[in-house]
Amino acid sequence: MFSISTQAKYWLFTGETELATCRAEANRSYISSRRAHLTDNEVASCFLTPMEEKLLSRQYEVVLRKFCSEFQPPMPKCVIGTSLAYFKRFYVHNSNMDYHPKDIMLTCVYLACKVEEFYVPIGQFVKNLRGDREKFADAILSFELTLMSKLNYHLTVHNPFRPMEGFIIDIKTRYKNIQNIEIVRRTAEEFMERSLQSDACLIFSPAQIALAALSFGATKEGLSLDRYIKEILFKTATEKEAEDTLYQLRRVKFIVKNTESVPREQAQAIQKKLDQCRNQENNPDSDVYKQRMLEKLDEEEDVRHRKRAKLVAD
């Protein structure tokens, strides 16, 4: 049940203002730990601003969706939705400068495949990537535990796809004023696709997003779902509760419709700036990272050696 899920309890925010505050804090925390004696002007030129981080994350969400759409074998919608939910959640409390979106993006997709029971072995997964596949596999596996930890192991994601199907069935069954609700399906699905690029899943419940999508599709067809919401869905509720729901649906539509794509040139400029200020300890290409991985392997080997010695002694 969504109402008692970790998503409802920990990953729904009041709105874009609260999300901006959380992201700004992650940005400030990273910069504070690395600015040393830099002036504010030097900080502005060296590090990403919260807005730059938001734009870069948005661009990588587009890349993530493209990767999923071209993935073989074909990927279910729920995996795409869960991947994006993980990615968005991760960067609510973490900075792009600390963890590069490229690494986290792929790890989100790989983890979502497992959670949504569309498991693809890592070897097959990286065949969908161009370049050094062994390097990609190592990076994904090394960041997987970090991702789960940063998500507080809240891995179950409720997507809006199933609620939309439920509403369509309910309208067919209980609301005869609309004879063919199927005519709004395509527009509603396009709206939900657009919602994946927005922060809607961090602000609204899956049912609200699904109902907003159907309402948007109905409006495009010259129909209205207001009576269905008031007279069927909220038949036993107060007038205020029904009006509050309609208000939330308008909020969903406003946020989704006002989410714009990031110009490629702008994203490339931010990417170039990120390359200069990213945390090298979390950069798989850096000597610092490679040394840390070697030390970790040595520590794990020491632990195994002590366990073997203890077993022999016993």
Side-chain angles (χ1 to χ4, degrees):
M1 293 289 290
F2 173 78
S3 60
I4 58 173
S5 67
T6 54
Q7 182 173 339
K9 188 173 182 180
Y10 300 106
W11 295 106
L12 282 190
F13 300 84
T14 56
E16 292 179 298
T17 300
E18 185 182 5
L19 283 171
T21 300
C22 293
R23 290 165 176 156
E25 174 57 28
N27 176 275
R28 185 203 63 76
S29 178
Y30 179 84
I31 293 174
S32 294
S33 66
R34 287 163 175 78
R35 68 176 294 169
H37 301 293
L38 295 178
T39 66
D40 289 343
N41 287 337
E42 289 171 330
V43 165
S45 64
C46 293
F47 296 96
L48 300 188
T49 65
M51 180 53 69
E52 286 174 328
E53 289 205 49
K54 180 179 179 180
L55 293 174
L56 190 60
S57 291
R58 183 90 4 110
Q59 178 61 22
Y60 270 96
E61 288 170 11
V62 174
V63 176
L64 187 157
R65 289 182 64 192
K66 185 174 185 295
F67 172 71
C68 291
S69 68
E70 298 174 351
F71 194 87
Q72 291 298 325
M75 191 175 286
K77 286 183 179 179
C78 61
V79 177
I80 302 173
T82 297
S83 301
L84 283 161
Y86 288 164
F87 188 83
K88 293 173 190 291
R89 291 178 185 184
F90 185 89
Y91 286 111
V92 171
H93 299 300
N94 296 280
S95 170
N96 286 185
M97 295 178 285
D98 206 0
Y99 298 94
H100 199 293
K102 173 185 65 179
D103 300 318
I104 299 303
M105 175 197 79
L106 293 173
T107 310
C108 286
V109 179
Y110 182 66
L111 180 60
C113 286
K114 289 183 177 181
V115 172
E116 295 293 347
E117 298 183 352
F118 179 71
Y119 178 61
V120 180
I122 188 65
Q124 184 179 357
F125 185 91
V126 297
K127 284 182 180 178
N128 288 273
L129 296 164
R130 295 174 186 155
D132 190 336
R133 290 168 177 169
E134 184 177 351
K135 176 182 163 185
F136 281 127
D138 289 342
I140 291 168
L141 295 176
S142 67
F143 283 112
E144 186 177 17
L145 187 57
T146 298
L147 173 62
M148 290 191 289
S149 175
K150 295 294 185 180
L151 296 177
N152 296 320
Y153 300 96
H154 301 152
L155 304 182
T156 299
V157 173
H158 296 261
N159 287 297
F161 309 114
R162 187 173 294 176
M164 192 181 86
E165 295 301 326
F167 284 128
I168 289 175
I169 293 171
D170 191 53
I171 292 169
K172 288 178 179 178
T173 305
R174 298 201 293 161
Y175 191 62
K176 303 303 181 182
N177 288 24
I178 296 180
Q179 297 300 315
N180 183 17
I181 189 62
E182 288 292 339
I183 63 174
V184 312
R185 178 186 289 276
R186 181 175 177 181
T187 307
E189 288 179 345
E190 289 173 354
F191 180 91
M192 285 212 293
E193 286 291 318
R194 288 183 61 189
S195 78
L196 296 177
Q197 291 182 241
S198 73
D199 287 328
C201 70
L202 296 174
I203 301 172
F204 306 102
S205 71
Q208 288 174 325
I209 296 171
L211 194 54
L214 287 171
S215 176
F216 178 81
T219 301
K220 289 291 184 181
E221 295 294 333
L223 305 171
S224 174
L225 291 184
D226 287 6
R227 286 188 62 189
Y228 164 71
I229 293 169
K230 290 182 177 181
E231 298 176 9
I232 305 295
L233 283 184
F234 286 84
K235 184 176 181 180
T236 60
T238 65
E239 181 71 18
K240 183 178 184 307
E241 288 173 329
E243 288 297 332
D244 284 346
T245 296
L246 292 173
Y247 169 69
Q248 292 301 326
L249 300 189
R250 289 194 293 271
R251 285 185 67 205
V252 176
K253 288 184 271 190
F254 177 82
I255 287 175
V256 172
K257 289 164 64 178
N258 284 277
T259 299
E260 299 179 353
S261 59
V262 182
R264 179 175 295 182
E265 298 76 13
Q266 188 177 14
Q268 289 174 342
I270 300 171
Q271 175 77 53
K272 188 175 180 180
K273 191 176 178 183
L274 174 61
D275 291 340
Q276 304 303 315
C277 62
R278 66 178 298 190
N279 184 357
Q280 293 303 314
E281 291 185 2
N282 293 325
N283 178 5
D285 292 326
S286 72
D287 292 336
V288 176
Y289 178 90
K290 292 172 184 175
Q291 181 61 37
R292 187 161 62 90
M293 289 297 102
L294 286 174
E295 292 172 355
K296 184 177 180 181
L297 289 172
D298 289 342
E299 289 175 4
E300 291 174 352
E301 182 58 34
D302 287 342
V303 170
R304 285 194 291 268
H305 179 73
R306 287 195 294 270
K307 285 183 177 179
R308 284 196 296 267
K310 187 175 185 298
L311 287 171
V312 171
D314 291 342

